[in-house]
Amino acid sequence: MELAATHPIGLLLAAAYVYDAQYNRNIPFETSPQAVRLYYLYNHWTMQAATYFFIFIDLALALFEEPAVYPLPFLVTSLAEVFCLLVFFGRLVHFAKVTPRDVFWKDTKNICIMITILLTLVDLIIYGALRISSIRSVRWSRPMRPIFLINFAESRQIRRAFRSIRNTLPEITYVFLLFMFSVLMFSLMALKLFGNRNLKTVEGLPYFTNYLEIVFGMYVLVTTANSPDVMMPAYDFSWWYCLFFITYVIINTYIFMSVFLAVVYNNYRKHLKNEIRKLAYMKRRKMIEAFNLLKVKEEAEFVVKDDQWKHLVKMVAPNISTSHRELLLRISDEEQRGYVDKKSFVRLPDLLNIQVITMKLRRHPLESWLPQLYNSAPSLFLRSAVQHKGFVWVYDMIILINAVFIALDEKNPFISYAEWVFLCLYIVEILLKVYTYEPRTFFAKNQFWNWFDTSIIIAALIATIINTTLKSVTVYNSQQVLDIVFILRVLRLIRIIDSIQRFRVIMNTLINIMPTMLTFGGLALVVYYIFSIVGMEIFQGKVQFFTENSTTQHASYCGNPALKESLFARAKYCKNNFNNLASSFIVLMELTVVNQWHVLADGFALVTHQAAKLYFIIFHIIVVIMIINIFVAFILEAFFVEYSLEKSEVETAIEKKIQDLGVGIQEDELLDSKLIDNMETSENDLGGEDGTATMDKPKGLMFKIASKRYRTVDALLQRMFEAEIPPEEEGPSLDEILNLSPDDTYPKNPTFDSAA
């Protein structure tokens, strides 16, 4: 967003409100000129990028602290951490200068950050003093580092994910208690059924004689990780006993786990509705505040003059050109009365959020240089053949045939020569497309598959030439180059995805949900980081890894006699340890996958204490039962929305205006030989020479709505909610909005049932 000292404070403040409404930012800030300018600076992308950079540095310090992947002296890591804390404190002070004092001190996020900074400094001082005295201690503040990632204002999406967990906890707790009651009851029955029968496990240990061991084994059975092993001693004794385990699995694995998902999904939808409702009302409120700052009376109504509207849009979105702004103004002031009414003004963030691609008619370079040759009959025939669907089908078949050859033996000379044939065919395809389509169109920003194809083909060509040359001039056997060649060959098969309609629908949905998937990735990072730090403090050095050719006598049992003859050691799980952050993350990933997680838990329990199994059970409950189910709930909702949503009123209005002005282009014309995708910027203005738009006489200027694949799910849901709010309704007060709960109703409140 543009910040200029010459702008009146009213316009500056209105632009801040519109910018917040556009990006759903709900940070309360002072309205004085200095505070507004500080607010602009606070939200500048460089400040946000710097904050995330130092958060990353702070988290990454665990790689260099004991136990370290890459050890660094304590003085270096401690100074780096202190510097990060100073940056966080400075960011917090900046935020305090922006927000009202009472709001700042009531915000628990700010209190959490300050307490974490203070506790970290205390921990550093204590740990450093003890280290100087050669006394071993624990860095107990390290698990608190993710608090910075969660609580800074920029991380509102991660906080929302944590709120989803917090909101789901009350409902899921009752189901979990009932589930645990079932596990305990079945465990007690197992003790009575099998405890006195002198049965043995495959390791020769007593079978189901210790109640706590039975509870752990039955809990693991819910995850199916120890099935059918846990059942076999009883099953071998009598086949009737299999009915006990089958009943247990049906009730606890299939019924209770399905109920968990149902409860999580139901609560996720309910609280998502409330979150979106808050965002929609806050957005409406900010736009009304912006309108009130700029309004003037025109006849019987308050409006915003066109010139003021243009200045506002230029401040909020400085990177769009005059022609794009003029298009948006034509939509907002459809009758060209010289002003924008309140109803049209309120939807300005929606207009700015819809990506409009601006295109300019251009001739193919060959048409300018060699017009007779390029427009000759053979050339026209060749270009029409390339544009035909049959051309795509032919190359899809070539890709499939190539897949068969990739799977065959590389040492066969015929297969090796065939690889050159396929490479030549792909290069011919690229050249024909560049000949047919204007080169800048073919390699436009939004032509992902063209860039992908060309990059893969060029890389494969270079790697194959290097591989062939080295083999011909030397006795050469570099597996690394061969691996690169094989991977590049397989990657070519990916391009067939874009040729099948149903694949494209799925890919579009995956692209739409990618931002929120990254949010859940951040959530998983926080949980993994905390469990990794705790795991390193508990299990560090308890399990050691030795290479295959190691002659150390402890190598067979991972350097710990407690693991002799254990399944952990026999399975060669020695590298699954908590000796550094990287290894810890890998172990936690294996626990998330669930398979064989009980073997890991048993192994670490043997080298510490049986109570250590609680660490693994708690991780399973938090990650697998809660976070994974919330993620599944989000994926379900995302696909429901993607498959059911139609174009919004704003998108329809933009497309209608584009067509009315005669400057529209259809989806299937995107790769016309005379069109170039030219996303407009302030430096690359497609308007007239005097800076004014040439809307009435486009002179080769064309517009279209960008592909649907760039819309996020949250934006789609919010749009569905806003569509049901009457244009004249201003919504509840600010306090009412902030205190809305899923069960609250508001007069004229939309149902939102179709969206969530």
Side-chain angles (χ1 to χ4, degrees), residues 715-729:
L716 299 177
L717 289 172
Q718 185 174 335
R719 196 190 76 193
M720 295 174 75
F721 182 84
E722 290 173 335
E724 299 182 9
I725 303 178
E728 68 278 0
E729 183 182 333

Side-chain angles (χ1 to χ4, degrees), residues 258-286:
S258 299
V259 171
F260 270 123
L261 177 58
V263 171
V264 168
Y265 180 55
N266 182 61
N267 280 272
Y268 173 82
R269 292 177 70 234
K270 182 171 68 174
H271 291 286
L272 175 66
K273 167 186 174 179
N274 193 48
E275 294 274 357
I276 298 299
R277 181 169 58 166
K278 284 183 180 181
L279 289 176
Y281 279 134
M282 286 296 294
K283 178 179 175 182
R284 176 67 63 92
R285 187 169 187 82
K286 286 182 179 292

Side-chain angles (χ1 to χ4, degrees), residues 621-738:
I621 292 169
I622 292 175
V623 175
V624 179
I625 292 181
M626 295 188 63
I627 295 179
I628 298 297
N629 275 326
I630 288 175
F631 183 66
V632 171
F634 166 75
I635 297 292
L636 290 172
E637 194 68 16
F639 270 83
F640 292 156
V641 171
E642 181 67 23
Y643 276 89
S644 63
L645 207 61
E646 300 295 333
K647 286 182 181 176
S648 71
E649 179 187 351
V650 177
E651 283 178 312
T652 304
I654 293 178
E655 288 190 342
K656 183 176 183 298
K657 180 57 64 176
I658 289 173
Q659 297 303 326
D660 289 347
L661 293 169
V663 290
I665 187 70
Q666 300 300 321
E667 185 76 30
D668 55 359
E669 295 173 331
L670 269 177
L671 280 178
D672 186 86
S673 59
K674 296 183 180 180
L675 286 177
I676 176 170
D677 180 325
N678 198 349
M679 293 301 295
E680 46 187 355
T681 64
S682 54
E683 292 79 15
N684 185 24
D685 197 343
L686 301 178
E689 293 179 1
D690 59 353
T692 60
T694 56
M695 296 302 300
D696 294 324
K697 295 180 181 179
K699 295 182 180 178
L701 192 62
M702 309 293 281
F703 298 96
K704 79 171 291 290
I705 300 293
S707 172
K708 292 181 182 180
R709 71 176 65 188
Y710 301 106
R711 304 177 307 187
T712 64
V713 175
D714 285 356
L716 299 177
L717 289 172
Q718 185 174 335
R719 196 190 76 193
M720 295 174 75
F721 182 84
E722 290 173 335
E724 299 182 9
I725 303 178
E728 68 278 0
E729 183 182 333
E730 296 191 7
S733 66
L734 180 60
D735 289 337
E736 289 175 323
I737 294 171
L738 295 176

Side-chain angles (χ1 to χ4, degrees), residues 343-357:
K343 177 183 175 182
S344 299
F345 184 87
V346 165
R347 68 178 183 178
L348 175 58
D350 300 317
L351 289 174
L352 294 173
N353 277 331
I354 295 173
Q355 187 183 9
V356 177
I357 296 178

Side-chain angles (χ1 to χ4, degrees), residues 504-515:
R504 282 203 300 270
V505 172
I506 296 171
M507 288 298 295
N508 289 348
T509 304
L510 292 176
I511 292 171
N512 284 341
I513 66 178
M514 193 62 67

Side-chain angles (χ1 to χ4, degrees), residues 486-558:
F486 293 148
I487 290 171
L488 289 172
R489 289 174 185 172
V490 174
L491 284 177
R492 290 184 215 151
L493 307 179
I494 296 176
R495 46 177 286 188
I496 202 169
I497 291 174
D498 202 47
S499 302
I500 301 174
Q501 174 63 26
R502 300 308 298 175
F503 285 176
R504 282 203 300 270
V505 172
I506 296 171
M507 288 298 295
N508 289 348
T509 304
L510 292 176
I511 292 171
N512 284 341
I513 66 178
M514 193 62 67
T516 309
M517 288 177 71
L518 293 176
T519 298
F520 279 98
L523 177 63
L525 172 66
V526 169
V527 176
Y528 271 44
Y529 192 89
I530 294 171
F531 272 90
S532 293
I533 298 296
V534 173
M536 286 190 292
E537 297 295 350
I538 299 173
F539 306 116
Q540 172 195 351
K542 302 293 185 183
V543 175
Q544 299 293 332
F545 171 70
F546 299 90
T547 57
E548 188 75 26
N549 54 2
S550 175
T551 57
T552 307
Q553 60 178 352
H554 305 301
S556 61
Y557 45 86
C558 307

Side-chain angles (χ1 to χ4, degrees), residues 472-490:
S472 63
V473 298
T474 61
V475 179
Y476 163 75
N477 188 24
S478 175
Q479 188 60 39
Q480 287 79 11
V481 177
L482 285 173
D483 290 343
I484 293 172
V485 173
F486 293 148
I487 290 171
L488 289 172
R489 289 174 185 172
V490 174

